[in-house]
Amino acid sequence: MAPSGFGNRVEGLHAVEAAAAAGRVLRLSVESKRRGRAEIEALISLVGEHRVSMVEDVRPHAETEAPQGLVAECKAIMPVPLDDLIVEGAAVIVLDHVEDPHNVGAIARSAAASGMTGMVVSARRAAPLSAAAFKAAAGALERLPVSVVGSIPDALSRLKDLGLWLVGLEAAAASELFGLDLLTEPLAVVIGAEGAGLSRLTAARCDVLVSIPMADESESLNASVSAALAGFEIMRVRREGATPG
């Protein structure tokens, strides 16, 4: 069966702007009271008047709580095959059944901003790449390659076979993320589910488990915060390694 796409519904100004810039918007609903605002007029011009419907309130048709007066029906984005994530300088973020779509979107946003080259998500027991995820991603899901897989442990085995090191974030791990030598290598960073962390099978697939140092008696970090710290640490280490001494 061919993989189904995602991103058919996009809401919120930044997410809709990004979808429109990518040429994906098929039909845009706009609240009448927002007509005349510069950013809305620019968006309507980009999408084309013939694709725009003015409505009194988009909220009855929205999936998110704050659609900002905009709901767009879009052409789907197709997931990429896992093998296509193997590129020069690969730095892939893998989500081990992260269930909050806002976290998924926020992770995609920080992954794109820190130069990560792709993201892997599960098709089962995980947050869908929904309107909420796209809104939190603020355009990042338009440009970050995403692979949707049936099994995260199997996907990790395949990534390892393709030459990536597997680095799992685990709060109790003895080794630390910051300054890890492997960060200069082609790798995948694995983020566990909210609360539960990495599953047993996923942790067993990783080459190394690392923690993020924290002050004593601190609460564990949100999955999206952990992913952001990992992404920007990879960027920092690789930039320093590329700087002539």
Side-chain angles (χ1 to χ4, degrees), residues 18-40:
R24 294 201 306 116
V25 175
L26 299 172
R27 172 63 57 185
L28 175 63
S29 296
V30 180
E31 288 182 348
S32 303
K33 63 186 177 183
R34 297 175 187 266
R35 190 78 200 243
R37 299 182 184 183
E39 66 274 16
I40 299 299

Side-chain angles (χ1 to χ4, degrees), residues 21-223:
R24 294 201 306 116
V25 175
L26 299 172
R27 172 63 57 185
L28 175 63
S29 296
V30 180
E31 288 182 348
S32 303
K33 63 186 177 183
R34 297 175 187 266
R35 190 78 200 243
R37 299 182 184 183
E39 66 274 16
I40 299 299
E41 293 304 317
L43 182 57
I44 291 172
S45 178
L46 181 61
V47 170
E49 289 273 1
H50 62 290
R51 291 193 173 97
V52 176
S53 298
M54 305 306 298
V55 298
E56 183 176 345
D57 189 352
V58 300
R59 286 175 296 179
H61 313 289
E63 295 179 10
T64 62
E65 293 183 359
Q68 299 175 302
L70 298 167
V71 172
E73 302 293 336
C74 302
K75 297 182 222 178
I77 297 172
M78 298 306 297
V80 303
L82 195 64
D83 291 25
D84 286 4
L85 298 182
I86 308 305
V87 298
E88 184 177 356
V92 177
I93 194 88
V94 180
L95 307 188
D96 185 22
H97 301 103
V98 174
E99 297 179 343
D100 185 340
H102 298 92
N103 276 339
V104 173
I107 289 169
R109 185 175 185 177
S110 59
S114 61
M116 301 290 280
T117 57
M119 185 167 76
V120 179
V121 300
S122 175
R124 299 176 294 177
R125 294 188 297 111
L129 294 167
S130 62
F134 270 77
K135 189 168 185 289
L141 284 169
E142 300 291 338
R143 60 184 187 277
L144 183 70
V146 176
S147 182
V148 180
V149 300
S151 166
I152 292 296
D154 288 351
L156 292 176
S157 294
R158 178 59 181 162
L159 291 175
K160 184 181 289 190
D161 290 342
L162 292 167
L164 298 193
W165 291 92
L166 306 180
V167 178
L169 290 188
E170 184 65 73
S175 299
E176 292 187 0
L177 167 71
F178 300 119
L180 184 70
D181 290 342
L182 281 181
L183 300 188
T184 60
E185 301 293 328
L187 56 73
V189 176
V190 192
I191 307 295
E194 301 91 343
L198 299 176
S199 69
R200 179 181 58 82
L201 288 176
T202 294
R205 295 291 198 280
C206 293
D207 295 301
V208 61
L209 298 177
V210 298
S211 60
I212 295 171
M214 298 174 60
D216 293 342
E217 301 181 6
S218 297
E219 295 289 334
S220 60
L221 294 173
N222 177 279

